[in-house]
Amino acid sequence: MIALLALSPEMQRPRRWIEDKLWSTFGPEQASANLRQALSKLRRALGDQGDILRADRGSVSLDRARVQVDVLEAGFCIDDGHDLLEGLDVRDPEFEDWLRAERSRFEARTEAARPGMPRGLLMHCRTDTYGMGAGRVLGDILANRIGENIAEQVRAWRRAGRPVEAGDEDRGDLEITCDLLETEGGLNAFIKVLHEPSGRILYSKLQEIDSADAVIRSDEGISAVIFEAADRVLGRLPLAMDNARPEARATALARLALYRMFTFQPEALREADSLLCQAIDVDRNGIYTAWRSLVRTMQMIELLEPDGQALNEEAQELNRVALELAGDNPLVQAVVSQVRVMSFADAAGGIDLADQSVERNPAGGFGWLALSGARMLGGDPREALAASTRARAIARYSPFKHWWDLYHCIVSVACNQPQMAIEAGESAARSAPALRPAQRHLLALYALDGQIDKARAVAEKLSKIEPGFSLDRFINDDSYPVRTLRTKGMLDPIRGLL
């Protein structure tokens, strides 16, 4: 009877329903007498808690506020080889029918909640040509590089071979097409990424191609469209795919983590780390671990957590694990390179990984950004500025473009290009008004440029968005996160604001 009530809606059933399940072979009067006797025995057995069992003339129930049912809790599972309510033997056919139905429902719920093994997205990359011959390879290059950029952030496989026909049971998850059209005006590519099971178009764009060399060498314009296509697909993929797929869940969690991470806000960074941990639980992909190491770096540089040494040690361990899991992933190489440069001042290690990243994926915005930081730390400002300029051009359509703008601002400061730094800092602040690092650099740059009113306005904004901010701390606290500005001697003009 406890089982019947505990697994019933609202933990309540009519008396007649219970009688039918336990004494279906008895007459109505005998079944009612058996129920009264059973209720009396149960109350005595429950002792001081006997009042959790409630009964009136029409129904019997349990006090829901005082009863906890383990098998109804999220994540509860029974050891393999065992059944729900195993060993409970009631010699009534109606009860046995009920028990079989409950076991079936429980097994279905458990199976639905059990994470499946990530088998990876299956992407079919293809091209068609119109009015040209040997140019087909250009479309193949474009389609495959988009696929490669997607595969850096979600477990995925590219498939070669015949086009997939409608209704084909062996169709994949994504179809990436780059159809080339040669006209009198030149060469154009129509790029389209399709979610095959649903037919939804996740991305499409008509791109003018200046020359075959632009595709082969992945110039800035081609790289930008490759990077944009992959980024847009990754943003929309969780909405198109079945959420039961580990790849879809992990991608959704990681994507949300990136939005939180690139705010630089303390609580948002903690939330980003939690989301990435959940993504790792779903799919142990090295890129999620690499992102976690970048979160630790941001927390360390921004002085957002009390134990900086612990953050440093954790970032190092996360770097190691990320490379162990996905050391050949260009995005992992880029992120780990940035962490080595920003956290550990390891110029040689950062350059080595960044070089590998851009060689493997010349259309990777993160790779060129990592190379910029590594070159700057390595004492090569000209190369640093060139790499940052390229990275920023590639990522100009990213929802996180303020990350590239901020980095370009810092590199420009290091390269003694204050006007260029102001332009990049203002761009970052427009995209993310609460981005504190951008506002800090603008404060110093405006003061250096004699734009005192703007500098005062930025100082006032920082006092609102950054707890504990003061001009005195900005100038005199060596631990305050404006290392490049301090190294270049750009803080003195701010003293006029004190």
Side-chain angles (χ1 to χ4, degrees), residues 415-462:
C415 295
N416 299 308
Q417 298 288 338
Q419 292 304 316
M420 191 179 294
I422 288 175
E423 183 274 324
E426 288 178 340
S427 179
R430 282 194 299 272
S431 299
L435 188 64
R436 294 185 290 192
Q439 299 292 347
R440 293 185 196 121
H441 284 78
L442 285 174
L443 169 56
L445 289 164
Y446 284 149
L448 179 70
D449 198 47
Q451 302 185 57
I452 303 303
D453 289 343
K454 284 188 175 182
R456 289 188 189 280
V458 172
E460 183 178 349
K461 182 162 190 172
L462 277 168

Side-chain angles (χ1 to χ4, degrees), residues 289-348:
T289 305
W291 288 131
R292 287 194 67 207
S293 73
L294 187 56
V295 170
R296 291 291 177 266
T297 297
M298 292 176 176
Q299 291 173 318
M300 198 181 338
I301 291 174
E302 288 290 296
L303 308 175
L304 298 178
E305 302 294 341
D307 193 343
Q309 181 59 33
L311 291 175
N312 185 291
E313 293 172 359
E314 189 173 1
Q316 290 192 54
E317 176 61 15
L318 290 167
N319 267 205
R320 184 192 66 78
V321 173
L323 290 175
E324 184 179 280
L325 292 173
D328 61 345
N329 181 331
L331 182 56
V332 169
Q333 292 168 342
V335 175
V336 172
S337 170
Q338 281 197 282
V339 173
R340 286 189 176 178
V341 167
M342 296 166 67
S343 295
F344 316 131
D346 178 9

Side-chain angles (χ1 to χ4, degrees), residues 216-401:
I216 294 170
R217 296 185 181 277
S218 290
D219 71 5
E220 286 183 8
I222 294 298
S223 294
V225 76
I226 291 170
F227 192 79
E228 178 194 18
D231 194 64
R232 295 287 174 85
V233 169
L234 287 162
R236 294 167 180 169
L237 194 61
L239 302 176
M241 288 181 61
D242 179 1
N243 193 49
R245 290 276 298 275
E247 300 85 353
R249 293 203 302 278
T251 301
L253 289 164
R255 194 72 180 173
L256 181 56
L258 294 186
Y259 275 102
R260 305 301 291 146
M261 179 174 70
F262 286 120
T263 67
F264 282 71
Q265 298 299 312
E267 288 303 320
L269 286 169
R270 296 186 194 111
E271 184 183 349
D273 187 62
S274 175
L275 290 165
L276 290 166
C277 285
Q278 294 176 55
I280 292 167
D281 288 341
V282 173
D283 181 4
R284 197 163 179 260
N285 191 329
I287 185 54
Y288 309 137
T289 305
W291 288 131
R292 287 194 67 207
S293 73
L294 187 56
V295 170
R296 291 291 177 266
T297 297
M298 292 176 176
Q299 291 173 318
M300 198 181 338
I301 291 174
E302 288 290 296
L303 308 175
L304 298 178
E305 302 294 341
D307 193 343
Q309 181 59 33
L311 291 175
N312 185 291
E313 293 172 359
E314 189 173 1
Q316 290 192 54
E317 176 61 15
L318 290 167
N319 267 205
R320 184 192 66 78
V321 173
L323 290 175
E324 184 179 280
L325 292 173
D328 61 345
N329 181 331
L331 182 56
V332 169
Q333 292 168 342
V335 175
V336 172
S337 170
Q338 281 197 282
V339 173
R340 286 189 176 178
V341 167
M342 296 166 67
S343 295
F344 316 131
D346 178 9
I351 290 172
D352 179 50
L353 282 168
D355 277 339
Q356 292 182 55
S357 178
V358 297
E359 183 177 349
R360 289 285 308 280
N361 180 12
F366 286 99
W368 287 102
L369 187 67
L371 185 60
S372 171
R375 292 293 183 192
M376 182 174 69
L377 184 63
D380 193 346
R382 181 175 296 181
E383 287 295 322
L385 195 59
S388 178
T389 301
R390 184 180 179 90
R392 194 179 177 208
I394 291 172
R396 60 182 179 265
Y397 302 119
S398 171
F400 317 117
K401 68 179 292 291

